[in-house]
Structure formats: structure tokens, C-alpha cells
Amino acid sequence: MHVDGAFNIFRKKHPEQVTLIAQPQIAWQRASFSDIHGGGWTSMPAARVLLSPARSFKNYLQRISR
């Protein structure tokens, strides 16, 4: 299980714990290859090479839009 899922399960099992948020948003997740799950066409080396510039461009667009 990834950390996001673990946080959600913890919150459901422990509703007495206070949950805080940051507003406005103080961090962003950048686009990158996922190593959480295997398989799929994006795990092929050629696909990773082709998708890397697209991810970089997406990250650039997200950076300048903030």
C-alpha cells in the first residue's frame, strides 16, 4: 500500500486524531514514472523515453501556472 492509502486508513481507524491541512497549498506532486505497480505499456523502456519530455513539459506548465 502506498503512503496516501495508509494515511486514509489511519484516519478512518482513528477518528479521534486531529487532521490538519495547509491552505493555501504548499506543495505539488510532479509528474513522474510510477514504480508502485508493475506492468503496463508505460513500463517499457521505449515508452519511458518517449513520455519523459511530455512529463517534463507538464511539470513546467504546472510550475508557471502557480
Side-chain angles (χ1 to χ4, degrees):
M1 174 183 306
H2 201 297
V3 68
D4 293 337
F7 287 151
N8 284 325
I9 288 176
F10 179 85
R11 289 182 60 217
K12 286 182 182 180
K13 289 187 175 186
H14 302 281
E16 73 281 2
Q17 295 294 322
V18 176
T19 302
L20 303 174
I21 64 168
Q23 189 64 291
Q25 185 175 349
I26 60 174
W28 292 263
Q29 183 171 348
R30 61 184 186 88
S32 64
F33 176 75
S34 174
D35 59 356
I36 296 173
H37 63 84
W41 66 274
T42 59
S43 65
M44 296 179 356
R48 291 180 73 173
V49 169
L50 292 172
L51 290 173
S52 181
R55 288 190 180 106
S56 295
F57 186 63
K58 179 180 178 183
N59 291 332
Y60 168 75
L61 291 176
Q62 288 176 336
R63 235 182 0 260
I64 64 171
S65 69
R66 290 183 215 141

